[in-house]
Amino acid sequence: PVWILITCPLVAVLGWLLFITLGCRKRPSQTLLLLLTASFFPMILAIIKGSPLYDGWRHFLFAYPPLVVLAARGWDEALEIFRRKGQKILIVCVFAFLALDPFLWMVRAYPYYTVYFNALTGGLKGAYGRFETDYWGNSLRAAAEWLGDYHLKNYPNRAAFVRSDGHPMQTYPYLKARLGQRYFPYNYPDEYRSL
């Protein structure tokens, strides 16, 4: 639940709050019950069973679409309850403002969408050091390419002995392409050296 709250856009989080506070005043339909079950039952079951859930909430990404529908229902309920023109304009403006943050993040952070953290944590800077910010290892390619370029610029005639975290194939192709015969994958199995 913590990962969902800190990595989903605030437009969705506020939509859920609106749904909980405004949407629960009606008798739930079968569709709504299905959405609630699809969203929460797997997570509750995993918590009760003590299932090993590593980092992030990638095990429950299938629950996100129903959660988005619930958030949309919350925003819709707000528009139904607050009928005055000024109130509706305010709701639409808040929605648009909150939806702008993840959109701007996608433009700025392309292709590293998975390192999005919302304002509840202070964004990526606020999450850094408190949460695993790149558990998919998306930045390893950029880091390996930077390291190769740095080594060639500063030590053009020296060998580079490199040991990286994670699986060797996450960095090997990029370092090999940058450094060629200067690159020695330190402490890797021999089968990777022959690639």
Side-chain angles (χ1 to χ4, degrees):
V2 171
W3 274 99
I4 292 171
L5 284 176
I6 64 174
T7 59
C8 286
L10 287 182
V11 69
V13 175
L14 185 55
W16 298 329
L17 290 175
L18 290 169
F19 173 75
I20 291 167
T21 57
L22 305 174
C24 291
R25 58 190 176 83
K26 298 178 182 175
R27 185 169 182 257
S29 65
Q30 287 182 338
T31 305
L32 180 59
L33 290 174
L34 180 65
L35 285 169
L36 290 168
T37 303
S39 299
F40 297 107
F41 178 73
M43 289 184 254
I44 292 169
L45 186 63
I47 291 169
I48 290 171
K49 290 184 71 172
S51 300
L53 305 173
Y54 305 103
D55 44 15
W57 59 288
R58 62 182 181 237
H59 305 90
F60 298 108
L61 288 178
F62 64 89
Y64 191 59
L67 285 170
V68 169
V69 172
L70 293 174
R73 283 276 311 258
W75 286 102
D76 187 55
E77 288 292 331
L79 289 171
E80 277 186 31
I81 290 174
F82 301 103
R83 296 180 183 265
R84 291 186 184 157
K85 185 177 180 181
Q87 293 171 329
K88 286 187 182 260
I89 290 172
L90 179 64
I91 290 169
V92 169
C93 287
V94 169
F95 178 88
F97 177 75
L98 292 176
L100 187 62
D101 176 59
F103 173 76
L104 292 175
W105 169 260
M106 288 189 291
V107 170
R108 283 191 318 264
Y110 173 82
Y112 305 110
Y113 301 136
T114 59
V115 295
Y116 174 81
F117 286 85
N118 64 32
L120 294 177
T121 59
L124 182 58
K125 287 181 182 179
Y128 181 74
R130 294 175 35 206
F131 299 96
E132 178 68 53
T133 54
D134 187 16
Y135 55 84
W136 288 107
N138 292 324
S139 60
L140 288 175
R141 176 180 180 170
E145 290 173 343
W146 178 90
L147 180 62
D149 292 342
Y150 176 85
H151 186 83
L152 285 175
K153 179 181 175 188
N154 294 293
Y155 309 101
N157 299 319
R158 292 176 58 190
F161 293 88
V162 179
R163 169 71 178 153
S164 67
D165 290 338
H167 193 278
M169 291 309 293
Q170 289 178 303
T171 56
Y172 180 91
Y174 311 112
L175 288 167
K176 188 69 171 173
R178 288 286 205 269
L179 297 170
Q181 296 301 318
R182 290 181 194 87
Y183 173 54
F184 294 93
Y186 176 73
N187 206 20
Y188 285 169
D190 288 336
E191 65 263 18
Y192 295 116
R193 297 181 192 209
S194 62
L195 295 174

